[in-house]
Amino acid sequence: HEFAKKFGLPIKEVVSGGDDVQEVPFTGSGPLVNSANGLLDLNGLLVDEAKAKTISFLEAEGHGEGKINYKLRDWLFSRQRYWGEPFPVSFLEDGTLVPATLDQLPVTLPKTDKFEPSGTTEGPLSAIEDWVYHDTPLGRARRETNTMPQWAGSCWYYLRFLDPENPGKAIDPEIEKYWMPVDMYVGGAEHAVLHLLYARFWHKVLYDCGIVHTKEPFQRLVNQGLILGPVEHTAYFQADTPVSAKDVNENAVGGPVLKKDQSPVEARKALDVDVVKKGENFVLKSNDNVRVTSKAVKMSKSRGNVVNPDDIIAGTGADALRLYLMFMGPLEQVKPWNTKGVDGVYRFLSRAWRLIAEGVVPATSEPASKEQLKVLHKTMKKVTADTEKMSFNTAIATMMEFVNDAYKWDSMPHEVSTVFVQLLNPYAPHMAEELWERLGNGPSVCESTWPQHDEQYLVEDSVTVVVQVNGKVRATISVAPDADQDAVMSIAEADPSVLKWIQGKEIKKKIYVAG
């Protein structure tokens, strides 16, 4: 559309449903128009319907057949650079290819301080002649000077990790059968076309060679969401008068315009201090009727929105950064960065430190009370379950609730502190290790057995039941968990807050909802 506009080419509407096609292209689905000839009429059909009818027509006329095309990015495996795995092949003077023998493997990179381009189409290795040229049983040969892209090693690293010292095999068959396949692969979505796909290629070749016993290397895939840059706000103005973003078409060709009359507007960056949250949107603090556009985009140096983790660690520590990344939301979701969120989890860690290390609640070696054990074992159960299903944000929220409850206690039993530190360890390992030592435990919290909750501490002594009279709540009562309907009704009718509404009156209907 932009090309046609620039060179004055005619623009014909073929899919209806958008704005004026002469001004704005329409990329959605809608009924086709101006799409008929003597052989085929597609007018009135939706885009997908028109495609299917066109394919059927071409097949019937013998001009082709419908197929699904799959696109695969080229894997540029041979690189003209120093870094990478050397190809274990050489070439004789007549061009004959000579593979390296087993006793010559692995072929390693030569040590050098010259990594600059060679000045030819070959990589920098070609300039290191004492490495390139060598003798073979068949005569003088020249090594291949291109290198592999380091994926030659990383594509099967999960196998070599299992048997890293084996001098004669990629992996011992018994070790491979014991450990493989990998239970879970965690990686970003971009790995689907890079490491994940290439590792599967590699693994299938190794399967065909009889080196591995499974066709697939990974049983489960989890893609963690991308961490976007901080939210960026854009305000719109005509002259110096602010215009609400809801009235602006920000994607118009040539720049943002007002929807009502297509007049141009100016987009200006709004700072965080200039906006305030109102409902689901942000508005100008100076005029809360003017909505701004708020978006978070991928971090990049060109946008200047990269957050340096070293800066965060210097201010709040590695544990706070680690904890915030897990607390931002579900693991698989894309999430915008907010530095203020780091301050929130840092306050939680500080409270946990004061609770255990500084004795803000006095420590005791006395056994934990029934209520303390209930809170502890409830926390153990939830954190364990959430950690196993990778719901890290809710596990952290549960530990925050535990700390809040513990601050209300008169004392902090040693056995409770010890278990809490074990639960905290996977999330804030540096602080947990320090607390573990201060509690007198050893040698390392990482080597301790993960605590298991006991259901007996989770049984409720009583449950709360809401009592209504004529559809209005009149009281809440506490009853035993195993109380039957008659017992609950008797307790409810005897409650003073209920009794004043039913005394001297005929009860025509009683409803009891179990559960």
Side-chain angles (χ1 to χ4, degrees), residues 351-360 417 434-435 438-439:
R351 296 189 78 222
W353 177 268
R354 292 193 296 270
L355 176 68
I356 297 174
E358 298 180 3
V360 65
S417 297
E434 181 67 23
L435 291 174
R438 291 193 177 213
L439 288 170

Side-chain angles (χ1 to χ4, degrees), residues 324-333 335 390-393:
Y324 173 62
L325 290 172
M326 291 186 280
F327 189 59
M328 292 175 74
L331 178 65
E332 297 87 350
Q333 285 187 5
K335 301 169 281 287
M390 304 183 81
S391 297
F392 303 132
N393 57 319

Side-chain angles (χ1 to χ4, degrees), residues 461-498:
D461 294 328
S462 63
V463 294
T464 301
V465 177
V466 176
V467 183
Q468 293 182 335
V469 179
N470 291 333
K472 294 184 178 181
V473 176
R474 301 302 184 186
T476 56
I477 59 175
S478 295
V479 300
D482 56 352
D484 59 20
Q485 179 175 345
D486 291 339
V488 174
M489 284 295 184
S490 297
I491 296 172
E493 291 172 10
D495 187 275
S497 298
V498 176

Side-chain angles (χ1 to χ4, degrees), residues 274-294:
D274 299 327
V275 300
V276 64
K277 191 74 179 292
K278 182 179 180 181
E280 295 298 317
N281 303 291
F282 283 90
V283 297
L284 288 178
K285 191 177 293 184
S286 60
N287 186 343
D288 63 4
N289 291 317
V290 177
R291 185 190 303 175
V292 300
T293 299
S294 302

Side-chain angles (χ1 to χ4, degrees), residues 192-240:
V193 187
L194 294 174
H195 182 267
L196 176 63
L197 182 62
Y198 300 152
R200 293 181 64 219
F201 285 167
W202 216 260
H203 194 87
K204 288 179 181 295
V205 171
L206 295 176
Y207 175 79
D208 292 341
C209 294
I211 295 175
V212 297
H213 78 287
T214 62
K215 291 185 177 180
E216 291 287 347
F218 315 117
Q219 289 186 303
R220 180 187 173 197
L221 170 66
V222 175
N223 285 331
Q224 80 266 27
L226 191 68
I227 305 299
L228 303 177
V231 174
E232 300 174 4
H233 307 286
T234 303
Y236 300 95
F237 293 83
Q238 278 196 325
D240 286 325

